[in-house]
Amino acid sequence: MTIEVSQVQQFLTYLSHEKRYSKHTRLAYEKDLTDFMKFANSNSLAQWSTIQSQNVRGFVATLNRAGQSPKTIQRKLSSLRSFYAYLMRESLVEINPVEGIRAPKAGKKLPNVLDVDQVHGLLTVAPEDILSIRDLAMLELFYGCGLRLSELTGLDVKDIDFNQTMVRTIGKGGKTRQIPLGKFAVKAINNWLKVRDQWVVYGQTALFLSQRGNRIANRTVQARLKHWGDKTGLGTSLHPHQLRHSFASHLLESSGDIRAVQELLGHANLSTTQIYTHLDFQHLAQVYDKAHPRAKKKTAG
């Protein structure tokens, strides 16, 4: 079965004859509603009265993945919302499932995600000297723990707990969090600590050092990552946020657990994690509908 077209035609006639909308505006409404009908038919949604909010969010997710801009998605939602307002006025449906649903906000421009093969190529380069041993340890912490640049350069040796295989870091707002260390990160850090004394200035507590023996500077880390991106042929100017972003995206793809990713990244708000990780909008909607006590409309009983 396919969704009813007659009600859409009635609505379009209403726009032309009663609302006196221009032909151009009417065609825009028609296109938006046609796009939703295609989505509905592909998901076996046969009646306007049975469509629920999660179906509309699924539509938004489809548009989002197809690269539609937030402005375009919002316009399509507005058209669909107006159509449902008309259906309610005509007593053809009881609820407007579009109410309260908004297009995803235009997020900050984020670095491209490295795929798993690219990361593997970056992290399996055999270190040849102290400099590359240090760099590999930094790369493993960036990707393995999702650290911010300032968090990595702020680490002291004592922040690495080999017994618990955890790293303790201080993030934004002075908030402390502990992040598990994977076996590759543990190995890389151990290799670095074996040679760190060759550079260290007396009394220096920093985990990562410059060649002069002082705490490594942010700009030095950025330069070294760019060096490794160029050397391994990534085709992109590698920088810390790209590795942090890749960490979050790969973990989310594998686990689907946005709360865990939020905690590991040190985000205070879930919305920040959603934007930062390019979270699949449909997955978030499914999690919400499944878990939140007010997400689903209660059935009459």
Side-chain angles (χ1 to χ4, degrees):
M1 294 179 66
T2 58
I3 197 132
E4 304 105 319
V5 179
S6 60
Q7 292 174 348
V8 174
Q9 293 302 322
Q10 292 168 13
F11 172 64
L12 295 174
T13 300
Y14 161 78
L15 294 181
S16 295
H17 295 168
E18 295 190 38
K19 299 291 287 185
R20 302 290 183 182
Y21 284 175
S22 68
K23 181 180 179 181
H24 175 78
T25 301
R26 182 186 180 280
L27 288 174
Y29 272 91
E30 184 174 12
K31 182 182 185 307
D32 293 340
L33 293 174
T34 298
D35 287 345
F36 184 81
M37 285 191 289
K38 290 177 180 177
F39 168 82
N41 290 333
S42 67
N43 287 274
S44 302
L45 303 172
Q47 294 182 343
W48 294 107
S49 59
T50 60
I51 288 173
Q52 300 180 19
S53 295
Q54 59 261 38
N55 302 132
V56 179
R57 283 194 289 269
F59 176 59
V60 170
T62 300
L63 297 173
N64 193 38
R65 286 197 300 271
Q68 296 287 309
S69 70
K71 184 177 180 180
T72 297
I73 296 174
Q74 190 58 59
R75 192 202 70 229
K76 291 182 183 297
L77 284 173
S78 178
S79 295
L80 191 59
R81 192 176 296 110
S82 296
F83 172 59
Y84 264 99
Y86 166 80
L87 294 180
M88 289 182 69
R89 191 164 51 248
E90 297 295 316
S91 299
L92 296 173
V93 299
E94 294 182 358
I95 62 168
N96 188 336
V98 196
E99 284 303 327
I101 296 179
R102 298 290 181 267
K105 293 180 180 179
K108 298 176 182 178
K109 187 175 181 181
L110 296 170
N112 294 326
V113 181
L114 299 179
D115 61 38
V116 175
D117 289 338
Q118 287 176 312
V119 174
H120 179 75
L122 181 67
L123 298 180
T124 53
V125 175
E128 302 171 348
D129 51 23
I130 298 177
L131 186 62
S132 56
I133 291 172
R134 180 203 65 186
D135 289 354
L136 180 59
M138 293 193 304
L139 289 167
E140 285 286 0
L141 274 174
F142 272 132
Y143 177 67
C145 300
L147 298 184
R148 299 179 177 94
L149 174 59
S150 60
E151 292 172 346
L152 181 127
T153 57
L155 289 175
D156 288 333
V157 174
K158 65 178 176 59
D159 292 324
I160 305 297
D161 185 340
F162 288 106
N163 291 326
Q164 299 294 325
T165 58
M166 303 281 283
V167 57
R168 173 183 174 276
T169 183
I170 300 176
K172 290 185 176 181
K175 183 180 178 182
T176 300
R177 70 186 191 280
Q178 299 212 36
I179 309 168
L181 285 171
K183 63 179 181 179
F184 293 107
V186 169
K187 180 180 178 181
I189 294 169
N190 266 318
N191 288 340
W192 161 240
L193 289 177
K194 290 175 183 177
V195 298
R196 175 181 174 275
D197 286 347
Q198 296 181 36
W199 282 0
V200 69
V201 171
Y202 178 76
Q204 179 56 253
T205 61
L207 175 61
F208 292 113
L209 308 173
S210 69
Q211 295 184 63
R212 293 183 177 182
N214 299 310
R215 185 179 298 273
I216 196 167
N218 287 359
R219 62 181 179 276
T220 302
V221 177
Q222 292 168 325
R224 293 307 298 167
L225 262 62
K226 184 178 185 304
H227 163 80
W228 286 107
D230 293 341
K231 184 171 182 177
T232 55
L234 286 180
T236 181
S237 183
L238 184 67
H239 49 94
H241 262 55
Q242 192 171 17
L243 288 171
R244 175 171 160 88
H245 185 50
S246 299
F247 157 84
S249 297
H250 295 169
L251 186 60
L252 189 62
E253 287 171 8
S254 299
S255 70
D257 192 338
I258 187 173
R259 292 291 183 184
V261 175
Q262 176 191 5
E263 186 70 22
L264 289 169
L265 289 174
H267 286 160
N269 299 313
L270 185 65
S271 59
T272 308
T273 311
Q274 176 193 338
I275 296 169
Y276 189 80
T277 59
H278 284 182
L279 175 64
D280 184 306
F281 194 82
Q282 187 172 26
H283 170 73
L284 181 61
Q286 290 170 347
V287 170
Y288 177 83
D289 286 324
K290 182 178 180 181
H292 197 281
R294 293 186 181 275
K296 293 184 179 179
K297 184 172 64 115
K298 291 183 179 180
T299 56

